[in-house]
Amino acid sequence: MMPLESLYGEVIKDHAASQHHGGLREPFDAEAHHVNPVCGDQVTLRVALKDAGDELIVADVSYEALGCQISKAATSVMTDLVIGKNVGDAMALHDEFLALMHSRGQAQPDEGLLEDAVAFAGVSKYPARIKCALLGWMAWKDATARALEEGYPQ
Amino acid sequence: MTAGPLDVAAIRGDFPVLVRTVRNGRPLVYLDSGATSHKPRQVLDAEREFYERHNSAAHRGTHLLGEEATDAYEGARAKVAAFIGAGTDEVVFTKNTTEAINLVAYAMSNARCGRFAVGPGDEILITEMEHHANLVPWQQLCERTGATLRWLAVAPDGRLDLDDLEPMITGRTRIVAVTHQSNVTGTIPPVTEIARAAHARGALVLADAAQSVPHQPVDVTELGVDFLAFSGHKMLGPYGIGVLFGRGELLEAMPPFLTGGSMIEVVRMEGSTFLPPPQRFEPGVPAVAQAAGLAAAVDYLTGLGMASVAAHEESLTAHALDALGEINGVRILGPATTKDRGGAVSVEVEDVHPHDVGQVLDELGIAVRTGHHCAWPLHRALGVQASTRASFYVYNTHAEVDALAEGIRYAQRFFGTA
């Protein structure tokens, strides 16, 4: 396989062409705006949490993003992964994805855990692109932290 | 100076990095000299020679090596001064262009700058096409002093809207800071004309020459500027050394920016006095090896002849404007011809993000710059978020321009937009 195809696999091309959960929606508990200062890519992302009795669930993640294929696809795949999960499990996924990105192509990603996000394993071989893959995740983590700081659940 | 065409094959032989291969075993096609140029063996040898034979701190010590280091450093200053038509004492070595501009912006916010000091109600005039290095320091100067930042707009063709020039320079304008060649569009603004208008209203003029001194003959007197800033590493020289040219009487009036050893006259616990320029602006042990490298770069460029360098780049730029301009879905940012335009060619590839274009080109061994190239307001003015930039230098060939055009077509096919 050509390296280019291993970087831009079908999962990435599909998500970039048609992002899941796109658009900014109400209601939401917190919003974050993140920028990649190198290229000016940006994402505005909202998080809505839901109190399900003994756990806190990611009820919705909505966003508007300007970005490259990697950045658009990574944000889209992330929403598939975290929506419906409890916040702790979603944060664990964030940590897992972050570790994969910083693995320099050496990690064996856990497909059971990361699902479509394993498609980004190739990105970790290109240090200049890691920020692209992480832009949406960083905005999600930030927005979630803000929602929690603001005392959710009320 | 020679005036004929460059012998590019011979030139390429002087650049060790050009023989290496990059991704997928492909030869390197380096089209990112606007970010930094490669260094010929002559420059690398000059640095090594300094370290191996003369290494010592300039302007101190009574030993032979110290004398040789001082000679190397001051010899480099004289060489750089001659290269741009300046007096030797009008050349201040800085870290880079950015530091040189910050030096001027700092001095003007210091009341000790006397009649050149900027205060509330004063105005600084820049342009929308500036690199952040010639923009943010002036914003900061205005924030510190209460002065107002104004700017000339960029027209859709990437040139300055000069209808605004006269009205924008008011009796309160203290300095006009303008690029001498855009790092994004290659646009060469009429600095001489701008300087004349500024001087007529009593304003000073600074030209950001980071993209011009490496690529065309530059003479500070012809240009009519008060300050000129450029970097060594973009003109075949080492990192960590740049130049501020300042007219003698101005440097004389300016307070020091960074202070410490080497720049003082007398130090007492109660206060200190400072050396005359240029030493006043060069605290700490000087970057002598880098100065020696820069001197070798100046020799190298002088040997090629700057008129020949400019002609070579103009020919590559014309080729690139043609080859990229005929690709469907590719929009060239900035002037469509080589008139008053240097060798930076930035494009927008419809429906393919610059990062993705750059990634595909990288797989083909072609190194370009992607993003906003530290000129975010300019990209906004041209209606794009970011762009893909190719920039040329003495070692680039027409075959490399063709490879770029073919690479962009390949990227379009890969992402299904063509």
Side-chain angles (χ1 to χ4, degrees), chain A:
Chain A
M1 190 189 265
M2 276 279 289
L4 213 49
E5 274 78 25
S6 76
L7 180 60
Y8 294 101
E10 285 310 311
V11 169
I12 290 178
K13 279 187 163 176
D14 289 350
H15 275 272
S18 169
Q19 287 188 288
H20 300 181
H21 305 107
L24 289 171
R25 286 182 293 278
E26 309 265 354
F28 65 98
D29 296 301
E31 181 176 289
H33 178 71
H34 276 224
V35 176
N36 183 345
V38 176
C39 54
D41 282 359
Q42 41 198 305
V43 61
T44 302
L45 182 144
R46 292 174 174 177
V47 171
L49 304 180
K50 183 173 70 188
D51 189 352
D54 57 348
E55 60 177 357
L56 208 49
I57 303 291
V58 181
D60 192 23
V61 177
S62 65
Y63 58 94
E64 269 179 1
L66 269 178
C68 60
Q69 298 247 323
I70 304 289
S71 134
K72 280 171 25 185
T75 304
S76 173
V77 168
M78 174 191 75
T79 60
D80 281 353
L81 277 175
V82 301
I83 292 173
K85 292 233 168 40
N86 86 46
V87 171
D89 290 349
M91 277 295 173
L93 278 174
H94 162 274
D95 294 347
E96 188 73 18
F97 189 73
L98 190 67
L100 175 63
M101 284 304 98
H102 288 131
S103 69
R104 290 250 165 186
Q106 300 304 309
Q108 287 300 320
D110 182 345
E111 188 158 5
L113 201 60
L114 286 175
E115 301 176 30
D116 272 359
V118 299
F120 295 86
V123 176
S124 71
K125 287 181 234 159
Y126 298 89
R129 303 305 299 276
I130 294 171
K131 176 83 183 170
C132 311
L134 289 177
L135 189 65
W137 282 93
M138 292 300 159
W140 172 78
K141 186 186 178 192
D142 192 12
T144 303
R146 282 186 209 182
L148 295 173
E149 266 171 33
E150 283 159 22
Y152 195 92
Q154 300 294 336

Side-chain angles (χ1 to χ4, degrees), chain B residues 255-272:
Chain B
F257 172 44
L258 303 171
T259 56
S262 275
M263 48 76 71
I264 53 86
E265 189 180 51
V266 178
V267 177
R268 298 181 199 284
M269 292 313 291
E270 295 75 18
S272 304

